[in-house]
Amino acid sequence: MAFGKRHLRFLLLIFLLILTMKKIINLRKESNFISSFRKIKMQEPLKLHPLSSKEPHRSRMLEMREKCKGRDQEVGNILSSTFKYNDQLKLVMCEVPKVASTTWQILLLRLGGFKGNITKDLRKRWDYAKIPNKQFIQLKSQTEALARMATYTTFFLTRHPFERLVSAYFDKFSGRSTYEYYKKNVGRAIARAQAKAHLYGLHDSIFHDDLLEKEDFKKLDSKEKSEVIQYIHIMKTGEISFPQFVKYLIGYKKNNNVEKMDNHWLPQMQICRPCAFSYSYIIRFDNLTNESNKLLDYIQTQTTTETLPKGPRITFPGNNRPFVKHEETEKMLKQISDEDVEILREIYADDFSVLNHDPHLYRGH
């Protein structure tokens, strides 16, 4: 009996050892594949995708590749929900939030044959969860993801960093936002962290119902009392001001952990890593409709009719109206100092340089 138990333990140990060795071998294979992938990408001459072979896309790609020289950007782990793909269309999109990302994810669904009616209510629900496109996070290995990046048509959208920040602020923290998650979970935390500068020493007692009867509160003048009452409202709702949002972002720079930012304001270069991957096509937000339709036309021309959904060709929704609202961004940036604007330029320096956005298009006060 004792021999039987020892025998079973021995067999179990051998089984676990084999599984461990297989895992180590697979990790080494994947590591070698990633190293080879990076070496090939860095050494091969740039081969422009047909989508980017003509101006202005040709110059855009060549200039970006030139600026990427000397920037040893890591491939990193791309098994994430950031990368959406479709095997039938042989297409990969790197999703950059606040750059028409929801619209493009819905376009991918329709190109893939999604038959449901995409209503406003459905879109609102999707804002709280991932739109049901296939994502790299669902793949078994990094090798599978990199193989698609190397052979499929790949693209992402880019936008001026400050315009993207203002859009994120309005969408997540302002009174016009109808989505409560960020206000409740991030806005409130930001307000609490910055409370000391707004509450005249009343931080410990601001949530008491009898605040108006507190001696420390009574000592404040009418302007200070008004500010305290207003800030209590901000702490309860999470509807922080734009300067508070910027101060929160600057905290990442001071703590040297910008890479830990939320994807909605993480630098675009860190999201899509265009110096690690040779993307086929890049859409600029300031020419969103035309450049989106060029890609949609290419996809539907190159793909077999059996793969595409039946019906009229899919185009980017809306007309050719400009999507960029310069005046709105300009107005918001005037609420913060030139010094803070300069720190934002440092945070998004690679976005400005490599993705060719003007860092001085907007100024502070």
Side-chain angles (χ1 to χ4, degrees):
M1 189 73 177
F3 174 78
K5 286 183 178 179
R6 286 199 300 270
H7 186 64
L8 286 173
R9 288 195 196 102
F10 177 75
L11 290 176
L12 180 60
L13 182 63
I14 293 296
F15 177 71
L16 291 174
L17 185 61
I18 291 171
L19 286 180
T20 302
M21 290 301 295
K22 281 186 175 180
K23 188 172 183 180
I24 291 172
I25 291 169
N26 288 335
L27 286 172
R28 283 181 178 174
K29 283 182 179 179
E30 188 158 302
S31 178
N32 290 337
F33 182 88
I34 293 170
S35 297
S36 300
F37 179 89
R38 290 194 69 223
K39 188 175 181 181
I40 291 169
K41 285 297 176 187
M42 291 302 104
Q43 292 181 353
E44 70 178 9
L46 178 62
K47 296 177 182 178
L48 292 176
H49 189 277
L51 278 164
S52 297
S53 61
K54 296 181 180 179
E55 299 296 349
H57 306 283
R58 176 181 172 80
S59 294
R60 188 180 301 170
M61 288 296 190
L62 292 175
E63 185 177 348
M64 187 178 72
R65 173 54 71 95
E66 188 64 28
K67 288 178 178 177
C68 280
K69 289 180 179 178
R71 295 173 187 265
D72 191 23
Q73 189 168 37
E74 294 291 332
V75 169
N77 178 21
I78 59 172
L79 291 179
S80 73
S81 58
T82 294
F83 292 87
K84 325 293 180 183
Y85 73 97
N86 185 300
D87 286 331
Q88 285 69 44
L89 302 174
K90 297 190 180 302
L91 186 70
V92 176
M93 178 183 82
C94 175
E95 177 204 355
V96 180
K98 306 316 303 169
V99 192
S101 57
T102 300
T103 302
W104 254 104
Q105 287 187 78
I106 290 172
L107 287 169
L108 290 183
L109 277 183
R110 286 180 167 150
L111 287 167
F114 183 83
K115 294 182 173 59
N117 184 22
I118 302 174
T119 63
K120 286 184 178 180
D121 287 341
L122 182 58
R123 286 188 62 152
K124 188 172 182 179
R125 287 201 301 274
W126 279 344
D127 276 319
Y128 291 96
K130 295 297 178 184
I131 296 175
N133 286 296
K134 288 184 178 179
Q135 306 161 7
F136 277 1
I137 197 171
Q138 298 165 327
L139 297 173
K140 293 180 179 178
S141 70
Q142 177 94 328
T143 303
E144 292 182 48
L146 291 174
R148 287 168 172 80
M149 291 299 291
T151 58
Y152 285 11
T153 297
T154 55
F155 75 101
F156 70 94
L157 295 88
T158 184
R159 184 178 191 177
H160 191 286
F162 292 170
E163 293 165 5
R164 182 169 166 253
L165 277 188
V166 169
S167 177
Y169 166 74
F170 279 122
D171 187 53
K172 304 302 179 189
F173 302 114
S174 73
R176 71 169 73 169
S177 173
T178 58
Y179 309 118
E180 297 299 316
Y181 175 84
Y182 274 86
K183 286 192 280 191
K184 287 182 177 179
N185 294 279
V186 183
R188 285 176 177 176
I190 293 172
R192 285 196 301 270
Q194 299 178 18
K196 189 176 180 179
H198 301 271
L199 297 173
Y200 302 98
L202 295 173
H203 185 273
D204 292 335
S205 61
I206 55 171
F207 284 118
H208 288 287
D209 293 333
D210 58 346
L211 170 66
L212 300 181
E213 303 303 320
K214 293 286 183 181
E215 290 301 321
D216 288 343
F217 181 79
K218 289 180 179 180
K219 292 176 183 178
L220 303 179
D221 62 35
S222 58
K223 180 176 177 294
E224 291 168 342
K225 288 177 181 176
S226 176
E227 288 178 14
V228 168
I229 292 171
Q230 184 179 5
Y231 200 78
I232 290 172
H233 175 75
I234 292 171
M235 292 185 70
K236 288 180 178 178
T237 63
E239 292 179 6
I240 57 172
S241 67
F242 185 69
Q244 284 183 285
F245 176 52
V246 170
K247 185 176 181 180
Y248 165 70
L249 299 179
I250 289 174
Y252 282 97
K253 173 69 174 175
K254 290 179 177 178
N255 294 324
N256 201 29
N257 61 352
V258 167
E259 72 281 354
K260 293 183 179 180
M261 281 182 171
D262 185 285
N263 257 27
H264 289 86
W265 37 88
L266 183 70
Q268 297 160 75
M269 285 287 294
Q270 294 192 31
I271 296 174
C272 293
R273 291 164 250 173
C275 289
F277 301 107
S278 293
Y279 281 89
S280 308
Y281 191 61
I282 299 173
I283 297 171
R284 290 185 67 90
F285 194 79
D286 46 16
N287 195 20
L288 178 61
T289 302
N290 289 334
E291 296 190 7
S292 292
N293 280 328
K294 181 178 179 180
L295 176 56
L296 287 167
D297 184 65
Y298 175 84
I299 293 167
Q300 293 170 96
T301 300
Q302 296 297 314
T303 307
T304 61
T305 54
E306 292 79 12
T307 301
L308 293 170
K310 294 180 180 179
R313 286 174 79 87
I314 294 170
T315 59
F316 195 83
N319 50 33
N320 288 324
R321 65 181 175 82
F323 284 84
V324 178
K325 298 177 181 178
H326 292 292
E327 298 80 8
E328 189 169 65
T329 303
E330 199 170 57
K331 179 182 176 182
M332 299 304 289
L333 266 291
K334 289 294 182 185
Q335 295 181 26
I336 62 176
S337 67
D338 277 329
E339 290 79 7
D340 284 349
V341 172
E342 190 57 39
I343 297 174
L344 290 179
R345 290 190 185 113
E346 293 173 11
I347 292 173
Y348 298 98
D350 285 348
D351 284 2
F352 286 120
S353 175
V354 178
L355 300 178
N356 198 27
H357 296 289
D358 182 1
H360 299 286
L361 181 60
Y362 303 102
R363 300 179 184 277
H365 64 71

